[in-house]
Amino acid sequence: MATKWGICSAGKISHDFTVALKTLPPGDHQVVAVAARDLERAQEFAQKHSIPRAYGSYDELANDPEIDVVYVGTIHPCHLHVCILYMNAQKNVLCEKPFAMNAGEVRKLISSARKNDVFLMEAVWTRFFPASREISRALSQNEVGEVKVVRAEFGVPLLHVPRAVEKELGGGALLDIGIYCVQFALMVFRGERPVSVQATGFCLDTGVDEAMTVTLMFSRNRMAVCIFSIAVELPNDAAITGTKGSIRIPAHMWSPTSLVVNGKETEYPLPAPLQPLNFLNSTGMRFEAEEVRQCLLKGLKESTQMLLADSALLAEVMDEARRQSPRQTGLAAKGEQVFGEGADV
């Protein structure tokens, strides 16, 4: 039977996710309802995507008995409340990144998922691309030796986008795009907790970060360097360097379609979208959607590729980075120093 999806929010990312679902077999994935805070917007979205039901409130979607899993595509500050709404209604949830605004909120999400015995996953779509799975395979088979240095960059001009620059909308380079660099480093080091986090950067007048460099130090003299900015275009690539070789992820590292392992390049093309997209390579969201389906078919409550513990650690690292930026402390969990003495606080 098909996995029946409900879409929460009729915004740009929800559009792209729905288009991505259409690249998968209709016998496996079906969108049966969409909800927005405005019924007219929900109806327009439903008509555009041939969705049977449209709701003018998130609560109505929560009460729809046909839905297997809800995709949450709201703005960042709404994730906690909306996800808990659906989990309390016994709905499985795939929530856009960042999971929530800080580590404390992420812990509340995880607690709710376990209390309600439902599936929950942060939609860090990068982890499910074929190229990312190949990275994991190559590392597990020691093809580059011991990884010593990881570098990841993500920079795009977003200063004109309110969602990216306004604190009330969950803005800032780290939460919006830097998260991809940090999660990449944690993926390469297989969820290991850094020994220390060191962050430098500067903020906009709105109080959110415009650009930042985050250095993660791991045991055995290993490190990751993440550079990101919402003011300028960066190379947007990533590299993994080990004692026996290297892996290079050409632009765009957050949605990789090619990979260079020890000098050999492999292409991983994406299917063409049936409708125009808002964001680059968005049909790649098909991979995280299929991961959700496979987990549900197996009765799993979380994905082994993006564990809830992975999301918790990711949030803790980002909290620590923001804690080192004085004007960001209102967003990060206050008073929590969860890393070693090397953290500059």
Side-chain angles (χ1 to χ4, degrees):
M1 293 179 62
T3 298
K4 293 182 170 57
W5 290 86
I7 305 296
C8 173
S9 178
K12 292 180 178 180
I13 194 67
S14 293
H15 166 85
D16 283 14
F17 181 79
T18 305
V19 173
L21 285 178
K22 294 175 184 177
T23 68
L24 294 164
D28 291 346
H29 297 268
Q30 293 177 8
V31 179
V32 298
V34 59
R37 289 173 297 177
D38 176 77
L39 178 58
E40 186 175 343
R41 287 197 67 202
Q43 289 172 334
E44 290 174 357
F45 190 98
Q47 183 177 14
K48 180 184 295 184
H49 294 286
S50 300
I51 300 172
R53 296 186 293 281
Y55 298 120
S57 72
Y58 298 155
D59 295 84
E60 291 175 274
L61 185 66
N63 293 324
D64 189 322
E66 192 180 1
I67 291 169
D68 297 317
V69 56
V70 176
Y71 169 79
V72 174
T74 62
I75 59 172
H76 307 161
C78 296
H79 287 179
L80 176 66
H81 168 75
V82 172
C83 287
I84 289 179
L85 167 70
Y86 292 122
M87 289 189 287
N88 284 343
Q90 300 301 303
K91 297 289 189 288
N92 301 299
V93 172
L94 172 65
C95 178
E96 261 306 330
K97 50 59 72 186
F99 231 175
M101 292 300 294
N102 54 55
E105 290 190 358
V106 169
R107 287 192 288 271
K108 290 179 181 178
L109 287 177
I110 294 171
S111 176
S112 177
R114 290 175 175 159
K115 179 185 71 173
N116 289 293
D117 194 33
V118 295
F119 175 88
L120 174 65
M121 189 177 90
E122 184 176 12
V124 181
W125 65 321
T126 312
R127 293 206 174 190
F128 305 99
F129 275 69
S132 295
R133 293 183 183 270
E134 175 60 17
I135 291 172
S136 296
R137 186 206 62 77
L139 294 177
S140 67
Q141 296 188 8
N142 203 36
E143 292 186 8
V144 299
E146 182 182 22
V147 174
K148 299 294 287 184
V149 178
V150 173
R151 176 189 57 80
E153 298 185 12
F154 192 168
V156 289
L158 295 174
L159 297 181
H160 61 288
V161 180
R163 174 188 57 77
V165 299
E166 297 295 336
K167 181 181 289 188
E168 295 75 15
L169 300 179
L174 178 59
L175 283 182
D176 198 42
I177 61 177
I179 184 173
Y180 287 112
C181 300
V182 177
Q183 78 79 28
F184 179 80
L186 296 177
M187 179 189 76
V188 171
F189 287 114
R190 303 179 187 182
E192 180 179 336
R193 178 175 291 272
V195 174
S196 70
V197 177
Q198 297 173 323
T200 58
F202 39 86
C203 291
L204 298 165
D205 290 340
T206 58
V208 302
D209 53 297
E210 174 188 314
M212 194 181 292
T213 297
V214 178
T215 302
L216 309 180
M217 304 301 297
F218 293 87
S219 63
R220 305 197 308 277
N221 298 326
R222 298 167 298 147
M223 66 184 295
V225 180
C226 305
I227 305 171
F228 43 91
S229 170
I230 54 173
V232 296
E233 186 88 19
L234 291 176
N236 293 331
D237 61 354
I240 302 165
T241 306
T243 54
K244 290 166 46 180
S246 65
I247 300 173
R248 186 170 64 87
I249 302 89
H252 303 81
M253 56 77 58
W254 64 92
S255 55
T257 56
S258 66
L259 201 62
V260 183
V261 180
N262 293 329
K264 180 182 178 181
E265 184 169 8
T266 305
E267 300 284 342
Y268 301 91
L270 295 172
L274 300 177
Q275 293 171 260
L277 296 171
N278 294 297
F279 304 106
L280 180 75
N281 291 345
S282 280
T283 53
M285 287 192 280
R286 71 199 304 267
F287 303 117
E288 66 181 1
E290 181 60 22
E291 173 71 9
V292 171
R293 172 173 167 80
Q294 293 303 317
C295 288
L296 295 180
L297 290 174
K298 296 172 185 174
L300 300 178
K301 303 304 178 184
E302 58 183 305
S303 165
T304 58
Q305 302 301 309
M306 189 66 202
L307 294 165
L308 295 176
D310 293 334
S311 291
L313 178 59
L314 178 59
E316 289 170 6
V317 170
M318 293 194 298
D319 271 11
E320 181 62 33
R322 288 188 296 171
R323 205 165 71 90
Q324 294 174 36
S325 178
R327 296 175 66 185
Q328 289 282 295
T329 53
L331 294 175
K334 294 181 179 179
E336 292 192 18
Q337 184 168 358
V338 293
F339 296 92
E341 295 179 358
D344 294 334
V345 297

